[in-house]
Amino acid sequence: SQTIHQWPATLVQPVGSPLSLECTVEGTSNPNLYWYRQAAGRGLQLLFYSVGIGQISSEVPQNLSASRPQDRQFILSSKKLLLSDSGFYLCAWGGAGRGSNIQYFGAGTRLSVL
Amino acid sequence: SQQGEEDPQALSIQEGENATMNCSYKTSINNLQWYRQNSGRGLVHLILIRSNEREKHSGRLRVTLDTSKKSSSLLITASRAADTASYFCAPNSGNTGKLIFGQGTTLQVKP
C-alpha cells in the first residue's frame, strides 16, 4: 500500500533563517506531488506541484521554492523565512493518469516563524 | 481545475442529527471530490462522484451532484462527535492533476 511521510511535524524558526521540509512517498511510482499551505482556519492554497523529477510548477509567487530530486521525494525550501511564511504545510500525492485525481495527504508540518 | 465554494462556512448540530453541506462551482467537471480534515491533520479523501452520476453513497455519507445547477451536497446521516471536522469539496475539470480547495465547511457535532 502507498504511504506518505512528511516531517518534521512542527517547526519553529526565526525570521531570516532557511527552511527545508521533506516529503516522501512509498508504494507508488511516478506520482504527482503537491505542496499546500493552510493559514489558521482557512482553506488550502496550492503552492507547487510536480508531475516528474525536476518538473516543478509554481502556483503563486512567494518566498518559497520546491524541488523534486527523486521520483518520490518532494522538498519545500526557503533561503530566508518571513513572518508571513507561518502556516500549516501539507504534502500530497496523486496521479492524473490514474483517472480520478484523488489526492492523499501527509500529516502536515506546522511552521511558526518568529 | 477550479475552486469549489462550500456553504455554510460553519455548522453546529447535535449528535444523531443529519448534517448537510453544499458545494458550488462554475464550469463543467469530470468529477467532484469531498475531503475531510480533522483539526491539525491532513485531508482525507471521502468520496468521488463522476459527472455522469447523480448520487453516491458510502456508509453514512450521501453525495449528490446536479451538473445543471453546478452544485453538490454532502449529507452525513446520524452524525457522531467523531464527525467534527472541516469538509472540503474539490471540483475536478481537467487532467492536470491539480485540485483547488475552497475554504471548507467546519462541522461541529455536539455530544
Side-chain angles (χ1 to χ4, degrees):
Chain A
S1 63
Q2 302 87 7
T3 57
I4 179 168
H5 302 280
Q6 189 180 344
W7 67 92
T10 60
L11 191 59
V12 180
Q13 292 284 98
V15 170
S17 64
L19 173 74
S20 180
L21 301 181
E22 188 164 343
C23 172
T24 60
V25 180
E26 296 178 355
T28 187
S29 59
N30 196 31
N32 289 350
L33 296 172
Y34 309 87
W35 278 113
Y36 293 88
R37 178 170 59 202
Q38 186 176 35
R42 304 297 300 277
L44 277 71
Q45 180 185 37
L46 178 62
L47 301 177
F48 301 96
Y49 75 97
S50 170
V51 298
I53 296 174
Q55 301 179 61
I56 309 294
S57 295
S58 174
E59 291 298 297
V60 292
Q62 57 210 319
N63 184 42
L64 302 168
S65 62
S67 62
R68 184 171 177 173
Q70 300 180 45
D71 181 44
R72 290 168 288 177
Q73 183 184 31
F74 206 23
I75 298 172
L76 184 69
S77 304
S78 173
K79 293 181 179 178
K80 289 185 178 181
L81 284 169
L82 306 172
L83 288 173
S84 58
D85 291 324
S86 293
F88 189 50
Y89 289 83
L90 287 163
C91 179
W93 77 270
R98 292 167 174 82
S100 65
N101 292 9
I102 293 175
Q103 293 187 13
Y104 303 90
F105 286 77
T109 294
R110 186 159 306 280
L111 172 65
S112 298
V113 182
L114 306 177
Chain B
S1 282
Q2 59 186 299
Q3 181 174 340
E5 293 188 12
E6 296 90 350
D7 175 71
Q9 288 189 336
L11 182 60
S12 181
I13 60 175
Q14 293 294 133
E15 208 165 25
E17 294 180 339
N18 295 343
T20 300
M21 51 206 86
N22 305 296
C23 171
S24 60
Y25 57 92
K26 294 182 177 176
T27 63
S28 62
I29 58 172
N30 296 329
N31 63 66
L32 185 141
Q33 303 175 36
W34 285 91
Y35 289 77
R36 183 187 74 228
Q37 183 183 30
N38 289 88
S39 181
R41 307 297 298 272
L43 277 70
V44 174
H45 178 260
L46 293 176
I47 197 165
L48 178 152
I49 186 166
R50 301 189 188 282
S51 60
N52 61 354
E53 297 175 311
R54 291 297 167 258
E55 188 170 309
K56 200 162 183 179
H57 297 254
S58 177
R60 293 184 297 111
L61 305 181
R62 181 171 77 98
V63 169
T64 61
L65 179 64
D66 187 334
T67 53
S68 66
K69 295 181 179 178
K70 294 186 172 58
S71 68
S72 174
S73 66
L74 170 66
L75 168 68
I76 304 174
T77 60
S79 63
R80 306 166 182 169
D83 294 327
T84 294
S86 293
Y87 293 82
F88 297 88
C89 71
N92 177 30
S93 53
N95 292 319
T96 63
K98 292 195 303 182
L99 293 177
I100 309 297
F101 294 91
Q103 300 299 305
T105 292
T106 299
L107 172 66
Q108 181 184 29
V109 181
K110 301 176 183 177

